[in-house]
Amino acid sequence: MKRKLVLVGNGMAGVRCIEEIVKLDREAFEITIFGSEPHPNYNRILLSTVLQGDTSIEEMTLNSWEWYEQNGIRLFAGETVTDIDHEERVVRTDRGRVVEYDELILATGSNPFILPVPGADLPGVTAFRNIQDCERMIEYAKAYKKAAVIGGGLLGLEAARGLLNLGMDVDVIHIFDYLMERQLDPTASKLLQRELEKQGMNFLLRKETAELFGDGRVEGVRFKDGTEIAADLVVMAVGIRPNVDLARRSGIAVNRGIVVNDYLETSVPHVYAVGECAEHRGVVYGLVAPLYEQGKVLAEAICGRKGKPYEGSVVSTQLKVSGVDVFSAGEFMDVEGTESIKLYDEARSVYKKVVVREGKIVGAVLFGDTKEGRKLLAMIERGDSLEALSLSLFAPASSGGKGSLVAAMADADVVCGCNGVTKGAICQAIAEYGLKTVAEVRDYTNASRSCGGCKGLVAELLEHMLGEEANRYAVKETICGCTDLSREEVLEAIKEKRLMTVKEVMSVLGWKNEEGCSKCRPALNYYLGMLYPGEYEEEAESLFVNERLHANIQADGTYSVVPRMYGGVTTAEQLRNIADVAEKYNVPMIKLTGGQRIDLLGVKKEDLPRIWADLGMPSGYAYAKALRTVKTCVGKQFCRFGTQDSTALGIRMEQTFERLKTPHKVKMAVSACPRNCAESGMKDVGVVGVEGGWEIYVGGNGGTHLRAADLLCTVKTEEEVIEMTGAFLQYYRESAHYLERTSKWVERVGLEHIREVLFDVETRRALLERLHKALAATKDPWREIVENERLQQTLFRDIGDKEPVPAK
Amino acid sequence: MAKVEIGRIDQLPKRLGKRVRVGNHELALFRTGDGRVYAVENRCPHKGGDLSQGIVSGEYVFCPLHDWKICLKDGRAQAPDEGCVKTYRVAVEDGSVYVEL
């Protein structure tokens, strides 16, 4: 029986906690969520950008209706929980619904604080808290001209910026004598004010609101000093209050927020609270990062995996106010006992201040250039001494030391504060998955998913990693994390010590993981096979599934079968045969591949050996790190432009190099003329027929990194093409890293170097000798498996279905 | 809690997974290099990959679709990925493999 989990509040904190729970244990709970707003969970932080016209409501959705559905979560949006009965363990709603719970999470968030002044309830007075407020402001802007925003904090300034965008005149009223006094020091604040005045905001500082007046709807604001201004719309942005009514009514202990302990438990058993409604060790948090941290701790506890308690969060602010970057953290005010280092560049509107107490960095304010914010925060958290501070921090912002900043950050430094994603995690994801865009980084790591304040930093990291690939980031390229040895060192050791198996290599060379990982095992398997052709026996368990089963695994767990058709040429008999097999095994899709072969898709694993037997054709190696296809055009036999018999040469090349294993897949093509119908310019080896000879191109790639092939040489005869191609492939086999495409390899070792090697007659002869030895040792894998019952049993057959009848 | 007999231990080659369906459950069974037997839900938390076909190393399996690393002991995806597969208790008695469902 699943336990019943109810979440009250469909906001960022609560739903994030549910996400964590679902990740930990999808099956444990039957989950019900109540949300007063009629929307799925959205990113409230983006409300101001909606108001400013930069984001649509769809774009701010964090979890779509489908997400709830896919995870089997019942969502009652637009329905409010009115009562918790913790004796009976049920909640009741304003629609009379009664839902039982085993565990109950309160994430009721907060309400905007409305000043208790006369006229606060007049039409035209609004808070700025939800989509409805946002829509109301947009409506007002269509009919009226003058707006007043009460509150010069972040929210107020964002609202003001939005109203300016909507074409209104905006007065910002603030009770203190400078803006954002909680996040900025007076200098930074004055700079901000100057910027915002340039944008058209008008500020009324040190003004305390006495009343809002108007006849039927709001017409103006009157202050305690007797002055007044006219306003058709008044936005109150003076703070928030934890929404604790439900908890208080239900007899749960409430202070300013709902009181919780380090595991987010309230005073009532099985009732928890997270987010802005919760008060932990006397603190109520209103920022995203702490709420997410709380969600994680609660999720683990509720799934019965009580781990680290929540011990509070260090808060910092990194915000974008109306296109101006500001950052602050720690003790950033100059008070007695502190000293500070400052850069104040009035001309460029850049201000940086680092506050030091007793030689230790304790706080910082950045204005205009906030790139170093995350790094400073890490230093403050660690309590670094002043010496750790790089002077580059105070270099002018435009001096181009861009890369050096992200490079200087430690791997453990947090880049995305909202989701707690470190530089190390982002770099690893970029490297591992070949990420190219900020959006991809967001999808893989969650960095920049919430407030988006770290987008710039993520972009710089990407630039840093991709621009300087290999050089700066990975000082030494090891095979994988299991060893500190490079490919060259490992190969040397294998040869020198005559290591013959993957296991031997790992134990003799002191692998950190006894059995390696999914990167080094296939790599070592390849290197050993390359070094000991005919001698080394492949280890099925060290192969990636495609090569172990000689078929491509598909997204749904089925496989695809591509038989060999030399040069892309087939016969009526073969086609009939393929059609019969497709029918016999109910193959759901028959498709032509990009390499001119026929692909049978959607085949069950256990059917593979029988399909191969029935086809009676050799494996097309569509799954392998090996020679795949040689694509050809029709050539001079049929084409009126063809200068050479490209089809015949293509077939010959494919038959010659068939089954040759390579560090990565290899595709070839032969075109009969420079019109290049076989697309030879983007293949690992591309041959182009010209009058009286052939051009050989290498290192082309139509894949992720589009690369035009380089002309290696021009030769006269087909023999020479075969010879040059063979030597090229063998040199690639011997000197490339496993999983390095020829495009990357050619760039790494250099075309000139490759030419020097291949054009030396002696070297070429030796390469070809080794190549032929490797080729001589190959066998068609499909036939081998078809003829070997034991291999079929081990690799292709699962254990039959079992009845869920208990054993005796 | 039901204890179901799955098969014989010699049906499980070391470090090569096997898939087995029991009622509504689809399990991936593994015998690791040190001879221990594990059973996990045969569905990678990422995109539902067939974990039984992954590369097994120590007590981890690497999903064949996108190389997520899943711990066979507790079912957890290893950082930076997050997620979890269900694990099942396994007993080997007299060469027979039993799974608790």
Side-chain angles (χ1 to χ4, degrees):
Chain A
M1 264 286 272
K2 286 185 177 183
R3 284 191 289 159
K4 295 188 178 71
L5 174 66
V6 171
L7 167 67
V8 182
N10 188 33
M12 296 176 75
V15 175
R16 184 52 174 266
C17 179
I18 297 293
E19 281 183 34
E20 298 282 351
I21 290 171
V22 169
K23 264 193 240 165
L24 287 171
D25 194 343
R26 201 157 6 122
E27 306 295 329
F29 294 101
E30 187 187 300
I31 301 171
T32 307
I33 301 180
F34 291 97
S36 297
E37 288 187 61
H39 312 277
N41 180 32
Y42 65 87
N43 188 345
R44 208 182 288 279
I45 299 169
L46 293 179
L47 266 182
S48 52
T49 62
V50 172
L51 188 63
Q52 289 160 21
D54 298 333
T55 307
S56 68
I57 289 177
E58 289 75 48
E59 282 175 89
M60 63 192 284
T61 300
L62 283 171
N63 299 83
S64 62
W65 296 110
E66 289 81 50
W67 177 83
Y68 293 89
E69 217 166 87
Q70 277 163 11
N71 287 288
I73 295 168
R74 284 200 297 173
L75 169 64
F76 296 107
E79 187 162 341
T80 305
V81 172
T82 52
D83 177 43
I84 301 165
D85 182 339
H86 47 78
E87 300 286 312
E88 297 289 319
R89 291 218 201 149
V90 292
V91 297
R92 298 193 182 88
T93 75
D94 58 350
R95 300 212 187 151
R97 200 184 306 274
V98 182
V99 174
E100 291 176 17
Y101 70 83
D102 294 307
E103 311 290 344
L104 176 66
I105 301 174
L106 300 177
T108 45
S110 60
N111 292 323
F113 181 58
I114 299 294
L115 290 174
V117 293
D121 52 354
L122 282 171
V125 180
T126 181
F128 181 33
R129 182 65 187 161
N130 57 31
I131 290 178
Q132 223 184 332
D133 297 335
C134 213
E135 284 167 347
R136 187 175 307 135
M137 287 158 76
I138 292 168
E139 273 310 299
Y140 253 83
K142 286 179 189 156
Y144 299 103
K145 194 77 189 141
K146 256 195 102 8
V149 175
I150 305 180
L154 173 77
L155 199 63
L157 297 178
E158 285 185 338
R161 177 67 250 178
L163 294 169
L164 277 182
N165 284 16
L166 293 170
M168 298 190 87
D169 295 331
V170 184
D171 289 324
V172 177
I173 299 147
H174 197 43
I175 194 166
F176 298 99
D177 56 2
Y178 66 95
L179 303 170
M180 283 180 73
E181 74 288 343
R182 287 210 206 154
Q183 290 92 9
L184 298 179
D185 72 348
T187 312
S189 177
K190 286 294 161 200
L191 277 172
L192 177 66
Q193 186 180 340
R194 200 179 70 177
E195 283 299 313
L196 297 178
E197 279 167 350
K198 271 193 226 160
Q199 294 180 15
M201 282 182 211
N202 182 40
F203 293 98
L204 299 161
L205 300 176
R206 260 173 297 172
K207 289 276 185 194
E208 195 172 346
T209 304
E211 68 170 313
L212 309 181
F213 59 88
D215 188 9
R217 60 173 187 81
V218 73
E219 287 165 19
V221 184
R222 189 169 296 124
F223 304 107
K224 286 208 171 146
D225 61 10
T227 57
E228 59 180 63
I229 55 163
D232 306 305
L233 168 70
V234 175
V235 179
M236 294 241 201
V238 288
I240 52 170
R241 272 203 172 156
N243 183 5
V244 296
D245 295 351
L246 174 66
R248 183 174 284 138
R249 256 202 322 272
S250 311
I252 296 165
V254 169
N255 212 349
R256 195 164 104 79
I258 304 168
V259 178
V260 294
N261 65 13
D262 287 0
Y263 287 100
L264 293 314
E265 292 159 336
T266 67
S267 61
V268 170
H270 302 286
V271 180
Y272 313 85
V274 282
E276 288 178 330
C277 66
E279 178 180 322
H280 172 261
R281 298 191 186 181
V283 184
V284 175
Y285 294 97
L287 293 169
V288 178
L291 313 188
Y292 284 1
E293 285 169 34
Q294 293 174 357
K296 204 163 183 150
V297 172
L298 176 54
E300 286 178 351
I302 234 169
C303 288
R305 306 173 190 220
K306 235 177 199 181
K308 254 178 38 195
Y310 175 71
E311 298 181 299
S313 303
V314 179
V315 291
S316 70
T317 315
Q318 176 154 23
L319 303 165
K320 218 177 173 60
V321 188
S322 307
V324 187
D325 291 327
V326 295
F327 169 89
S328 70
E331 298 178 48
F332 57 81
M333 296 294 277
D334 293 293
V335 292
E336 210 177 308
T338 64
E339 294 163 318
S340 61
I341 309 166
K342 291 179 195 161
L343 166 88
Y344 183 42
D345 183 343
E346 206 175 351
R348 288 196 181 86
S349 273
V350 171
Y351 172 64
K352 300 177 181 185
K353 177 169 87 170
V354 176
V355 181
V356 179
R357 183 194 289 278
E358 289 162 7
K360 285 192 163 59
I361 301 170
V362 293
V365 178
L366 302 173
F367 181 91
D369 173 12
T370 56
K371 285 202 301 279
E372 292 93 341
R374 286 285 151 210
K375 182 159 179 58
L376 281 167
L377 178 62
M379 295 172 94
I380 294 163
E381 282 174 347
R382 284 196 299 261
D384 280 359
S385 70
L386 187 56
E387 285 77 54
L389 197 65
S390 155
L391 280 178
S392 69
L393 173 66
F394 294 101
S398 56
S399 74
K402 239 181 156 186
S404 64
L405 166 77
V406 282
M409 284 176 76
D411 275 359
D413 288 349
V414 171
V415 170
C416 172
C418 296
N419 294 291
V421 188
T422 62
K423 174 191 169 187
I426 294 174
C427 291
Q428 198 185 343
I430 293 173
E432 211 162 295
Y433 305 108
L435 308 183
K436 302 269 171 314
T437 64
V438 175
E440 283 175 351
V441 173
R442 182 195 61 214
D443 292 346
Y444 275 80
T445 65
N446 266 346
S448 82
R449 187 181 165 205
S450 298
C451 80
C454 61
K455 267 187 194 162
L457 211 50
V458 172
E460 270 180 43
L461 263 178
L462 271 166
E463 206 175 288
H464 171 59
M465 296 256 318
L466 301 180
E468 310 273 332
E469 245 166 353
N471 296 340
R472 202 186 305 185
Y473 193 68
V475 182
K476 176 176 173 183
E477 203 175 333
T478 65
I479 286 190
C480 70
C482 302
T483 176
D484 293 329
L485 301 173
S486 69
R487 171 196 176 280
E488 283 67 29
E489 288 166 328
V490 171
L491 256 66
E492 271 316 301
I494 292 176
K495 283 189 259 189
E496 194 188 311
K497 302 188 164 74
R498 253 194 97 69
L499 307 175
M500 295 299 291
T501 66
V502 172
K503 202 173 163 54
E504 243 174 36
V505 176
M506 290 179 176
S507 54
V508 172
L509 302 183
W511 240 242
K512 290 174 209 162
N513 296 315
E514 214 183 311
E515 294 187 344
C517 68
S518 59
K519 280 164 208 65
C520 57
R521 289 246 302 274
L524 292 178
N525 184 74
Y526 168 78
Y527 295 138
L528 289 165
M530 185 266 290
L531 290 171
Y532 305 124
E535 230 180 309
Y536 171 72
E537 214 174 302
E538 269 193 348
E539 295 176 4
E541 63 272 24
S542 290
L543 292 173
F544 178 59
V545 59
N546 283 4
E547 288 173 275
R548 178 175 351 114
L549 300 184
H550 297 280
N552 291 63
I553 192 167
Q554 310 294 329
D556 64 352
T558 64
Y559 292 81
S560 77
V561 170
V562 182
R564 179 72 75 191
M565 286 174 183
Y566 301 95
V569 176
T570 184
T571 63
E573 194 194 343
Q574 274 184 348
L575 288 175
R576 244 191 310 270
N577 193 13
I578 291 170
D580 287 344
V581 166
E583 257 178 11
K584 181 171 167 189
Y585 293 93
N586 294 318
V587 168
M589 186 189 251
I590 308 170
K591 191 176 183 311
L592 299 183
T593 73
Q596 301 176 332
R597 305 296 182 269
I598 291 175
D599 196 349
L600 304 176
L601 286 145
V603 175
K604 290 195 211 85
K605 182 176 66 181
E606 53 272 26
D607 283 345
L608 289 170
R610 274 178 291 161
I611 288 193
W612 297 337
D614 287 355
L615 279 171
M617 293 169 73
S619 166
Y621 274 78
Y623 48 82
K625 313 278 180 270
L627 171 67
R628 296 215 170 165
T629 58
V630 184
K631 190 172 181 176
T632 61
C633 68
V634 297
K636 77 171 175 195
Q637 255 186 302
F638 291 96
C639 174
R640 64 199 163 102
F641 298 111
T643 51
Q644 299 277 9
D645 190 350
S646 53
T647 311
L649 179 59
I651 292 172
R652 186 173 165 193
M653 287 171 76
E654 189 161 342
Q655 285 173 340
T656 307
F657 303 117
E658 185 182 1
R659 302 194 287 262
L660 183 68
K661 295 223 169 185
T662 40
H664 210 303
K665 61 185 171 187
V666 166
K667 299 175 179 182
M668 306 206 282
V670 187
S671 296
C673 79
R675 280 175 192 77
N676 228 330
C677 292
E679 295 161 333
S680 305
M682 43 179 267
K683 295 288 184 281
D684 297 279
V685 178
V687 181
V688 177
V690 288
E691 209 57 63
W694 302 92
E695 290 173 343
I696 302 175
Y697 291 84
V698 294
N701 195 341
T704 335
H705 298 274
L706 203 61
R707 184 182 192 273
D710 293 314
L711 180 63
L712 178 70
C713 59
T714 304
V715 297
K716 287 208 172 62
T717 65
E718 286 190 12
E719 264 67 42
E720 288 170 289
V721 173
I722 299 277
E723 199 175 288
M724 230 6 129
T725 303
F728 174 82
L729 290 177
Q730 182 62 18
Y731 190 51
Y732 168 56
R733 274 163 49 80
E734 292 178 6
S735 61
H737 296 231
Y738 186 64
L739 295 187
E740 185 177 34
R741 292 291 304 265
T742 59
S743 52
K744 292 274 167 195
W745 174 69
V746 166
E747 280 176 8
R748 181 167 64 86
V749 302
L751 187 67
E752 273 317 305
H753 167 76
I754 294 173
R755 281 194 181 132
E756 270 169 38
V757 172
L758 302 189
F759 295 172
D760 180 79
V761 181
E762 268 313 296
T763 318
R764 187 162 74 228
R765 197 191 50 75
L767 280 169
L768 288 170
E769 219 167 82
R770 294 198 290 275
L771 172 79
H772 289 130
K773 210 171 158 195
L775 284 168
T778 66
K779 281 177 263 181
D780 184 67
W782 284 1
R783 175 179 290 273
E784 238 186 330
I785 289 161
V786 167
E787 289 170 356
N788 187 330
E789 171 62 27
R790 194 187 52 80
L791 276 180
Q792 288 181 33
Q793 180 66 43
T794 318
L795 299 176
F796 293 86
R797 273 180 230 144
D798 284 310
I799 298 170
D801 294 1
K802 298 284 166 190
E803 283 304 310
V805 186
K808 275 175 265 158
Chain B
M1 194 73 72
K3 197 168 154 191
V4 178
E5 181 175 0
I6 296 297
R8 304 288 302 169
I9 183 80
D10 49 25
Q11 285 177 287
L12 300 177
K14 277 191 179 174
R15 289 182 291 165
L16 286 174
K18 288 279 180 189
R19 184 174 61 181
V20 62
R21 285 197 191 87
V22 188
N24 296 327
H25 303 258
E26 184 174 312
L27 319 186
L29 254 73
F30 299 95
R31 179 145 64 121
T32 54
D34 62 5
R36 278 174 228 250
V37 181
Y38 295 96
V40 302
E41 174 188 9
N42 190 29
R43 229 185 105 78
C44 180
H46 178 216
K47 302 250 166 160
D50 181 355
L51 293 176
S52 72
Q53 293 307 308
I55 289 180
V56 182
S57 170
E59 63 211 19
Y60 298 96
V61 63
F62 293 85
C63 175
L65 290 195
H66 307 96
D67 208 34
W68 276 37
K69 185 180 180 184
I70 311 288
C71 177
L72 299 177
K73 271 187 174 165
D74 61 15
R76 283 194 182 212
Q78 303 298 296
D81 302 319
E82 290 181 41
C84 202
V85 292
K86 206 189 275 184
T87 58
Y88 299 85
R89 203 185 296 242
V90 179
V92 183
E93 288 160 22
D94 295 332
S96 289
V97 182
Y98 300 87
V99 172
E100 274 181 27
L101 290 174

